[in-house]
Amino acid sequence: MDRHRTPGRLSRDGGFASLQFVIAAALAMVMVVGLLQFVVYQYARGAVLAGLERGVRAASVAGVSAGECLSALADTFASTLGGSIGDSLEYECDTTDEVVTARAWGEFPVWIGAGSLEFELETSARREPAP
């Protein structure tokens, strides 16, 4: 094979490098989008967990009802989550004489492909004793 190109001579392997680049760039973009989706999913789970913890803290005070928990949850989720994640989020609070429990569940839309990632989180706190 002649390693030196001669002027005016056509190279037959010029388009093959372009195809490799297109495939590599497409795979890199899929990996970047997947990584970004993982980061956003972790943020959403963290925001839901922080909201649940805030709700149980609000309702763990002696003499407070489960309504305080629900109010704190609604306030936190309205300020931290929006879009389809906030729309699909459902939550509830249960109180007993000793424990406050908050649960939240919802769906996270998948950006590449079909379906969604479902999550369900729960947290609890002990209530203050009545004076």
Side-chain angles (χ1 to χ4, degrees), residues 89-108:
L89 188 65
E90 297 181 38
Y91 49 89
E92 66 182 7
C93 292
D94 296 324
T95 57
T96 64
D97 290 337
E98 296 180 2
V99 178
V100 178
T101 304
R103 290 179 202 84
W105 59 93
E107 295 180 349
F108 184 82

Side-chain angles (χ1 to χ4, degrees), residues 37 41 83-85 88 107-118:
Q37 182 169 11
Y41 177 73
S84 59
I85 300 169
S88 73
E107 295 180 349
F108 184 82
V110 176
W111 296 344
I112 296 178
S116 62
L117 300 171
E118 296 179 1

Side-chain angles (χ1 to χ4, degrees), residues 39-55:
V39 169
V40 172
Y41 177 73
Q42 290 298 323
Y43 167 79
R45 281 181 51 102
V48 169
L49 189 58
L52 292 175
E53 290 172 353
R54 182 176 176 209

